[in-house]
Amino acid sequence: MGQERDVEMKEVADISNSDEHSSPAPVSKTIPTVQSLKEIVSMIEVGAYSKEVRRIARAVRLTIGIRLKITTSVILSFLSTTLQPGSEAHARLTSYLPKVDEKGNTVDLAEFPPQGSSKSPPEVEIYCYLLCLIYLIDQKCYSQAKACSTAGITRIKNMNRRTVDVLASKLYFYYSLSYEHTNSLSEIRGNLLSLHRMATLHHDELGQETLLNLLLRNYLHYNLYDQAEKLRSKAPRFEAHSNQQFCRYLFYLGKIRTIQLEYTDAKESLLQASRKAPAAARGFKIMCNKWAVIVRLLLGEIPERTIFMQNGMKNALVPYFELTNAVRIGDLELFRTVTEKCSNVFSKDGTHNLIVRLRYNVIRTGLRNISISYSRISLIDVAKKLRLESDNPVADAESIVAKAIRDGAIDATLDHTNGWMVSKETGDIYSTNEPQLAFNSRIAFCLNMHNEAVRALRFPPNSQKDKESAENRRERQQQEQELAKHLAEEEDDEF
Amino acid sequence: MDPQLTEVNQFLGRFTAAMTRRDFTNCDSLLVQLKVLLTKFPSLPPSFQKTPNAVQELSIAREIYEHAVVLSVKNEDQDAFERDFHQLKPYYTDTRDIIPPSSQEYQILGLNLLRLLVQNRIAEFHTELELLSSSALENPCIKHAVELEQSFMEGAYNRVLSARQSVPNETYVYFMDLLAKTVRDEIAACSEKAYAYLSITDAKRILMFSSDQELTNYVTQEHIEWEIKNGSVFFQKTKESSPCKEIPSLQLINQTLSYARELERIV
């Protein structure tokens, strides 16, 4: 699970590269940061008044960009200018912040005279919660982060505004993250479920998406695959809103399916997750690749060497490379040594039980090799070559070969009286219909792919209406709102 | 002591006495009464109220459900086993920090794994397995079930059968007997594909029958397509893909036409 944590950081990692000075900003530098925070807030205000969710989403993105420049004094001066002084939110948020800044100097609250605007929309308040939370998590003050996020969540529960949804989904995410760092994820499960229910009732799809992923993560953290699958299969599905959330969903789905032996579907989701993940999310990609390798091995495929040679993943994937090698050769002895040697890695990745399942695949590949090399071989030799260690290797070998024949792994027959395995002559495949069928299915696949792609083409919604300028639109919306208000009032009068 | 707790304790005493007498009908009726009494305890799942008696109530409830699971095995009732086990499971997962672990826990979990194996619910088997810690996997009861599943997957059926002698607990015998039946069907299915024929003595040994009569009965009931003649069992070979004698023209024409149609759409 350790490396998976990188997943959480990926949105951050995108931006942190562009940020050269990660050292705490001196006081002189706090002013530009506060200034940019104020710009963000005004953007949120405009977004809130004009009901444009897109502006708020942009504000959140910008915040992540200046994340590393934030210090205690920046936050304090920002809070005292934005929130109403003496208000409940202001008092509460300042109480969570550390009283000592990065250089060990005590920060005096009196240094930041309250000059807050009197009236700000609730979006700004939630934004302040989010900002404090991100800062606290960055400073590793997890217990304060827990308190701060819990307070923020309680506040959100009493709001029903679609413009808060973007901020709320971020807040949910950090809420879960702060509990994960303090190792108390199971405490918030009930809360997350009720939030998910609320988001569903409010048709808040982004919130549903985020919360579903957080819940899946919560269950999988405790290996509760059964509950996770039950929730996943019953939760409403819709087109993904956020790529990151969709990647996570695919990864969790892949994990669940692997455990439940639906390897083909699992492979598809895991590969898709690792392809869709942004390049900066290295930890996430590594994890996806690890699981995908095992699933492909369980399916009887051998992953290509290039998978293990990808940039920045080489070292992390070494144990899995050795494992693949053992399965490819079909050597039980080598398989056993690799499993023992890397058991630490495997149990840390939570893949240990899956690797135990691989033993059968090793035997099968071994048998296939034998069956190709020999046209007739005694069962005693088969047992010896497979290095079966048991009291009665020949009887074991016989039933194992029998099962492999039934599963279609090898094409052979058994001669019980002589104790032989006789491989069948491979006939000329080109004398049958087989190649033609394979060719047909490939062409059908390509044509289908083309059709799907055409169907998936997206067109901007109502491209004609979009021609009116943003100004006009805002005006029109305002008029519509007033009209709606009038209508509502008239209705009230009637009763 | 709480009067309700005392009452449950008395019933439990009578229940265990009946269990040792192997008086299972009496056990059943006592168990029903016990379960009704348990509904009055406020600290049990799913409410988990923190009452002063919580520890005693939880441990006694857990003990009752453990007995219920064992009783269902003795009664050879798989549905009851599943029900009781699901009622018991929250006590193992969600009360870890309230009451000390039960000595029976691994035995019961192992039994459940075995049941899933017998019912061929392999996906659920693995889901349950994921919930166990690495130290739990070392426990003989759990290890037994895990190794059985592995041998079963590999096809080392004689290992599955010899495991019956090394069962960690007598309650496991019931499921092991059921497993033997599943194994026989598996072996029959494999042999059918792997051998052209088998002499009756060999077939008897491989399929674990003690007399020729049993083998003939099995063949007539389960695999009517097998033939017994000249002291051997002949399996029907599946049709091999024979070299194609003529070109399947109609099919080819259809396919080519559909390609043309699709290409038309693209260009």
Side-chain angles (χ1 to χ4, degrees):
Chain A
M1 284 286 157
Q3 261 158 332
E4 224 177 298
R5 205 157 286 156
D6 293 13
V7 183
E8 315 304 348
M9 296 300 157
K10 71 182 165 201
E11 287 118 315
V12 190
D14 292 322
I15 294 114
S16 55
N17 309 344
S18 62
D19 223 75
E20 269 123 30
H21 58 97
S22 52
S23 59
V27 185
S28 59
K29 282 194 180 164
T30 61
I31 292 150
T33 319
V34 173
Q35 205 52 49
S36 45
L37 280 177
K38 277 184 188 157
E39 276 161 27
I40 291 173
V41 164
S42 63
M43 191 185 293
I44 291 178
E45 279 172 350
V46 173
Y49 287 129
S50 62
K51 306 236 177 329
E52 283 176 301
V53 179
R54 152 184 82 79
R55 278 175 195 273
I56 297 181
R58 196 169 132 72
V60 173
R61 267 205 307 282
L62 286 173
T63 318
I64 304 288
I66 54 166
R67 181 176 182 170
L68 291 174
K69 290 188 202 156
I70 299 173
T71 61
T72 312
S73 33
V74 169
I75 293 213
L76 280 175
S77 74
F78 168 71
L79 287 181
S80 52
T81 48
T82 8
L83 289 176
Q84 202 176 355
S87 69
E88 200 199 335
H90 183 262
R92 191 182 288 151
L93 282 175
T94 41
S95 72
Y96 298 131
L97 295 169
K99 294 291 166 286
V100 182
D101 71 6
E102 291 74 9
K103 286 179 192 140
N105 305 329
T106 356
V107 180
D108 190 6
L109 267 178
E111 272 178 44
F112 305 100
Q115 37 185 260
S117 51
S118 53
K119 195 88 180 109
S120 53
E123 281 81 2
V124 174
E125 185 190 335
I126 297 298
Y127 176 74
C128 292
Y129 272 109
L130 183 62
L131 192 69
C132 290
L133 185 54
I134 293 177
Y135 175 68
L136 287 171
I137 287 179
D138 282 350
Q139 298 303 312
K140 302 201 168 38
C141 309
Y142 298 125
S143 48
Q144 279 99 317
K146 249 164 91 171
C148 176
S149 58
T150 316
I153 295 288
T154 340
R155 190 78 190 84
I156 283 181
K157 275 190 175 170
N158 299 324
M159 279 181 203
N160 185 8
R161 292 167 72 99
R162 295 292 62 77
T163 35
V164 181
D165 289 347
V166 181
L167 295 167
S169 73
K170 285 277 157 198
L171 201 62
Y172 299 148
F173 174 80
Y174 289 108
Y175 172 57
S176 167
L177 185 64
S178 60
Y179 274 80
E180 187 171 338
H181 280 308
T182 47
N183 225 349
S184 43
L185 266 183
S186 60
E187 287 171 24
I188 57 166
R189 202 177 293 151
N191 225 341
L192 287 178
L193 280 168
S194 71
L195 285 170
H196 184 262
R197 194 167 49 232
M198 201 177 77
T200 314
L201 290 175
H202 289 170
H203 297 286
D204 167 15
E205 295 195 343
L206 183 66
Q208 284 181 57
E209 210 172 60
T210 319
L211 286 164
L212 179 63
N213 276 337
L214 290 177
L215 277 165
L216 289 181
R217 185 180 178 79
N218 202 315
Y219 284 130
L220 296 191
H221 186 83
Y222 297 99
N223 281 341
L224 296 166
Y225 286 92
D226 197 24
Q227 279 93 325
E229 170 58 19
K230 283 195 177 123
L231 173 72
R232 191 203 63 79
S233 55
K234 293 191 170 57
R237 288 297 302 146
F238 35 79
E239 217 171 299
H241 284 267
S242 144
N243 183 42
Q244 279 104 336
Q245 295 300 344
F246 189 51
C247 287
R248 288 190 189 120
Y249 176 78
L250 284 173
F251 176 60
Y252 299 142
L253 179 63
K255 269 175 100 163
I256 295 173
R257 283 179 168 164
T258 316
I259 297 299
Q260 305 201 326
L261 297 109
E262 295 164 30
Y263 298 135
T264 325
D265 296 335
K267 178 187 146 195
E268 207 171 291
S269 338
L270 288 169
L271 287 181
Q272 207 184 346
S274 82
R275 276 187 208 128
K276 271 189 185 276
R282 205 167 58 88
F284 180 80
K285 279 194 152 181
I286 290 178
M287 213 56 204
C288 284
N289 272 305
K290 283 178 176 175
W291 278 75
V293 164
I294 294 189
V295 170
R296 291 182 70 180
L297 286 176
L298 282 168
L299 273 171
E301 297 173 21
I302 302 294
E304 308 81 26
R305 194 171 272 265
T306 45
I307 287 189
F308 303 98
M309 297 300 158
Q310 295 177 73
N311 266 346
M313 298 191 197
K314 223 162 154 184
N315 286 336
L317 290 179
V318 163
Y320 291 86
F321 177 65
E322 286 176 21
L323 195 72
T324 310
N325 215 15
V327 178
R328 189 175 58 86
I329 301 170
D331 185 341
L332 271 182
E333 199 58 45
L334 183 63
F335 177 69
R336 209 168 296 143
T337 26
V338 172
T339 329
E340 269 164 32
K341 199 177 83 183
C342 308
S343 64
N344 279 339
V345 183
F346 296 146
S347 47
K348 207 180 107 217
D349 293 345
T351 49
H352 187 265
N353 286 336
L354 295 176
I355 287 164
V356 174
R357 289 189 211 170
L358 269 177
R359 198 182 124 90
Y360 170 57
N361 289 62
V362 180
I363 293 177
R364 220 164 54 168
T365 349
L367 259 183
R368 201 180 295 146
N369 289 347
I370 293 173
S371 140
I372 291 168
S373 344
Y374 299 87
S375 61
R376 197 175 70 193
I377 183 168
S378 77
L379 289 169
I380 305 164
D381 289 337
V382 171
K384 231 182 264 170
K385 278 185 183 297
L386 288 177
R387 302 200 217 186
L388 294 172
E389 277 171 16
S390 67
D391 315 326
N392 192 354
V394 181
D396 272 2
E398 188 168 348
S399 54
I400 288 174
V401 171
K403 184 157 195 283
I405 293 174
R406 190 193 58 164
D407 292 349
I410 51 173
D411 201 9
T413 46
L414 281 169
D415 187 336
H416 185 76
T417 22
N418 296 317
W420 287 335
M421 174 179 111
V422 185
S423 304
K424 276 187 201 151
E425 294 287 315
T426 44
D428 180 14
I429 191 89
Y430 284 97
S431 68
T432 65
N433 265 337
E434 211 59 32
Q436 200 266 326
L437 289 176
F439 182 58
N440 179 43
S441 72
R442 282 178 200 186
I443 291 186
F445 175 79
C446 291
L447 290 173
N448 197 25
M449 171 93 90
H450 175 264
N451 287 342
E452 295 268 311
V454 170
R455 217 171 296 150
L457 276 181
R458 265 198 250 180
F459 301 98
N462 298 338
S463 41
Q464 310 228 304
K465 256 192 188 170
D466 250 17
K467 274 175 193 153
E468 64 176 352
S469 68
E471 283 296 310
N472 285 343
R473 187 167 61 236
R474 217 165 292 147
E475 236 164 66
R476 184 171 51 78
Q477 277 172 351
Q478 216 157 17
Q479 279 168 5
E480 275 169 13
Q481 261 173 21
E482 272 165 26
L483 195 66
K485 214 186 272 175
H486 273 300
L487 284 176
E489 276 168 11
E490 269 168 36
E491 245 169 61
D492 282 342
D493 290 343
E494 273 171 39
F495 290 106
Chain B
M1 205 176 180
D2 191 52
Q4 276 179 2
L5 213 55
T6 338
E7 199 187 348
V8 171
N9 258 324
Q10 279 170 358
F11 268 99
L12 185 60
R14 281 162 61 192
F15 177 81
T16 35
M19 274 291 257
T20 34
R21 280 203 312 276
R22 308 182 72 77
D23 179 1
F24 296 140
T25 33
N26 204 357
C27 281
D28 279 334
S29 60
L30 280 170
L31 185 65
V32 173
Q33 293 171 37
L34 274 172
K35 282 185 180 171
V36 173
L37 284 175
L38 282 184
T39 53
K40 293 178 187 152
F41 286 171
S43 64
L44 303 190
S47 54
F48 288 115
Q49 280 178 31
K50 289 197 174 64
T51 54
N53 286 330
V55 174
Q56 287 152 318
E57 286 177 5
L58 282 170
S59 1
I60 201 162
R62 186 176 65 186
E63 200 184 332
I64 288 167
Y65 284 121
E66 279 171 349
H67 280 304
V69 169
V70 175
L71 180 67
S72 68
V73 176
K74 298 237 163 93
N75 282 334
E76 313 200 336
D77 184 347
Q78 294 188 33
D79 292 334
F81 182 99
E82 188 167 356
R83 264 194 319 273
D84 290 329
F85 178 78
H86 282 302
Q87 278 182 309
L88 176 60
K89 213 174 148 196
Y91 294 91
Y92 290 148
T93 48
D94 300 342
T95 62
R96 273 187 195 290
D97 34 1
I98 311 175
I99 49 175
S102 155
S103 56
Q104 300 241 324
E105 180 170 347
Y106 292 133
Q107 187 202 325
I108 302 244
L109 289 177
L111 260 181
N112 183 48
L113 288 177
L114 205 56
R115 172 184 69 92
L116 292 172
L117 201 58
V118 169
Q119 298 176 339
N120 208 9
R121 287 152 75 173
I122 306 294
E124 283 168 69
F125 178 91
H126 284 289
T127 316
E128 290 290 322
L129 207 59
E130 286 298 318
L131 287 171
L132 299 170
S133 65
S134 53
S135 61
L137 292 177
E138 294 300 315
N139 184 285
C141 293
I142 307 285
K143 214 170 174 178
H144 180 76
V146 173
E147 279 172 4
L148 270 181
E149 194 264 350
Q150 262 185 52
S151 312
F152 198 75
M153 284 307 287
E154 273 165 33
Y157 296 121
N158 49 341
R159 243 187 274 156
V160 178
L161 296 172
S162 61
R164 193 185 182 283
Q165 272 86 55
S166 60
V167 285
N169 190 291
E170 47 142 358
T171 41
Y172 281 55
V173 172
Y174 164 61
F175 283 118
M176 291 306 288
D177 288 342
L178 287 180
L179 197 60
K181 168 89 179 65
T182 322
V183 165
R184 178 178 295 153
D185 290 339
E186 280 288 308
I187 295 180
C190 290
S191 312
E192 193 178 33
K193 293 273 163 24
Y195 302 101
Y197 65 91
L198 275 175
S199 71
I200 285 189
T201 20
D202 288 333
K204 226 164 56 187
R205 200 178 48 74
I206 288 177
L207 292 171
M208 307 167 294
F209 287 113
S210 46
S211 71
D212 290 7
Q213 190 51 44
E214 274 177 11
L215 176 68
T216 346
N217 281 345
Y218 180 74
V219 170
T220 43
Q221 274 167 21
E222 308 270 336
H223 295 277
I224 198 76
E225 68 279 9
W226 295 1
E227 252 183 293
I228 302 181
K229 59 180 181 193
N230 309 334
S232 299
V233 183
F234 285 89
F235 305 107
Q236 295 292 315
K237 283 277 120 181
T238 45
K239 302 270 178 300
E240 284 171 37
S241 56
S242 50
C244 131
K245 297 284 183 304
E246 52 186 305
I247 298 166
S249 10
L250 199 64
Q251 193 192 345
L252 276 179
I253 291 171
N254 270 331
Q255 280 172 8
T256 324
L257 279 177
S258 76
Y259 299 155
R261 204 168 40 243
E262 292 284 335
L263 282 174
E264 190 105 277
R265 248 197 268 176
I266 294 173
V267 182

